[in-house]
Amino acid sequence: MTTNTLPTPATPSRLVHRVAVGASFFLQGLCFSTWAARIPTVQQRLSLSDTELGGVLLAVPVGLLLSLPLSGWLVARYGSKLLVVLGLLLYAMVLPLLGLATTTPQLMGVLVFFGLAANMANISVNTQAVGVEALYGKSIMASFHGIWSLAGFTGAAIGTLMLANHIALLPHFGFITATVVLGVLLMRPYLLPQDTGHDASQPIFVLPDKSLLVLGALAFCSMLGEGTMFDWSGVYFRKVVQAPAAWVGVGFTAFMSTMAAGRFVADWFTDRFGRQRTLQLSGLFMAAGLLLAVALPTLAPATVGFMLVGVGVSSVVPLVYGAAGRSSVMSAGMALAAVSTVGFAGFLLGPPLIGLVAGISSLRVSFALIALVGLCMTVLASRARV
């Protein structure tokens, strides 16, 4: 006697999941770098001083921090797959609103929502990455962040092309929105359906333990450096380096290119030299690059300096997020949210700090202060358990 049974649906391989999650990182990075590449345009359009621009840019990390506990809880409650889709769609759809803003209050209001969507996407895609890393049984987190950086490079290059051809903000941002929406629809079926350490009963507010706080402090230092590059590199090259208009974005592009390349080799480097040594060297590279750009503010040396900063920050966040995702006291989503809460304070403090110090003295002094943060990161790395 034969028994008829329904065929079992094929389960996507870990490679398919890895490609889908990698695509999610790319789409997320493309959204953010698209905005970052056009910050100088927005500053000129609204006639903002450096100090005023610092205050405006504060809106993004405000949105990030307001949504951090909620995003972690939503991932723990509903799973990262749903939140990746919703977060990326919201992130992309806010972009055209940035292009439509014609007053400072309008821009700040939209940037708060931009930060909220950014964090929803950030927590959920990193939770997916923790799950895929568990399938492989080895460190691959840095490669995902490398894809994010590659998207940043792509977004910067597109932004430079748009500037060179005098393309307005709205058509530029609208094109990226359409691209991201299409990408989300294509990769959605292949995301991980279940998260590592999934726990729907997690409370919305959970205090991190000491080890997570140290990881958060390392993320804080790195993200402050990254935020400086994202928000102020174009302004620095325009005002301090005095680069030609077509070359204003070269510093950001140089930074993103080395950060992307560094992340693609970070897993190998970490396995060979250890997490702690990698983090210590990261702080030194970040400090050295910023000091070079400050000491020699001309096109070639400043570009090299920004490249060194990219190398310095390339492996920090992947290592910190990977360690947080392996937490034994929280689910992956909640642990990532806890570390991000501390880390993204760097984005919160960085933009206004740069603008404030620049208003009192100069952008060169502001960048020198961020170089000291790189040295602090080296000290912290000596005490971290990663």
Side-chain angles (χ1 to χ4, degrees), residues 202-210 212-213 329-330 334-335 338-339:
Q202 283 280 358
I204 189 168
F205 295 111
V206 180
L207 293 176
D209 61 9
K210 182 179 178 179
L212 288 176
L213 286 175
V329 297
M330 293 182 183
M334 290 303 298
V339 169

Side-chain angles (χ1 to χ4, degrees), residues 129-155:
V130 169
V132 175
E133 189 174 63
L135 292 178
Y136 276 78
K138 63 179 182 179
S139 177
I140 61 171
M141 180 66 79
S143 66
F144 285 126
H145 285 256
I147 293 172
W148 188 94
S149 300
L150 184 61
F153 175 80
T154 303

Side-chain angles (χ1 to χ4, degrees), residues 169-258:
L169 292 172
L170 187 58
H172 177 191
F173 289 172
F175 168 72
I176 298 300
T177 295
T179 301
V180 173
V181 170
L182 177 60
V184 170
L185 294 177
L186 291 175
M187 63 78 183
R188 183 194 63 82
Y190 306 106
L191 294 170
L192 282 175
Q194 184 70 32
D195 296 331
T196 300
H198 179 75
D199 184 1
S201 66
Q202 283 280 358
I204 189 168
F205 295 111
V206 180
L207 293 176
D209 61 9
K210 182 179 178 179
S211 64
L212 288 176
L213 286 175
V214 174
L215 292 174
L218 282 167
F220 173 93
C221 293
S222 179
M223 289 182 177
L224 199 153
E226 287 187 42
T228 297
M229 293 292 101
F230 287 136
D231 293 347
W232 288 97
S233 59
V235 178
Y236 191 86
F237 263 64
R238 179 167 58 85
K239 290 195 167 186
V240 179
V241 178
Q242 297 184 347
W247 290 84
V248 165
V250 72
F252 181 70
T253 303
F255 163 76
M256 291 301 299
S257 63
T258 54

Side-chain angles (χ1 to χ4, degrees), residues 133 137-141 215 218 266-282 315-316 318-324 326 381-382 384-386:
E133 189 174 63
K138 63 179 182 179
S139 177
I140 61 171
M141 180 66 79
L215 292 174
L218 282 167
D267 291 321
W268 170 85
F269 190 91
T270 300
D271 289 339
R272 184 174 179 83
F273 297 102
R275 294 185 177 93
Q276 191 174 71
R277 180 63 60 82
T278 301
L279 289 171
Q280 290 171 333
L281 290 173
S282 296
S315 61
V316 179
L319 285 175
V320 167
Y321 278 14
R326 296 188 295 270
S382 302
R385 295 180 180 178
V386 290

Side-chain angles (χ1 to χ4, degrees), residues 70-115:
L70 179 61
S71 296
W73 177 79
L74 287 173
V75 169
R77 179 68 178 84
Y78 297 104
S80 61
K81 180 177 181 178
L82 175 63
L83 268 294
V84 166
V85 173
L86 293 179
L88 287 175
L89 289 177
L90 180 60
Y91 205 8
M93 290 176 181
V94 173
L95 268 176
L97 298 181
L98 292 172
L100 289 170
T102 56
T103 67
T104 300
Q106 287 177 358
L107 179 62
M108 292 184 71
V110 177
L111 284 175
V112 170
F113 285 100
F114 191 66

Side-chain angles (χ1 to χ4, degrees), residues 26 44 120-121 144 165 171-172 193 198 213 237 247 263 287 297 306 309 345 352 370:
F26 186 90
Q44 290 181 315
M120 184 183 297
F144 285 126
N165 288 277
H172 177 191
H198 179 75
L213 286 175
F237 263 64
W247 290 84
R263 285 175 170 172
F306 280 25
V309 177
I370 305 303

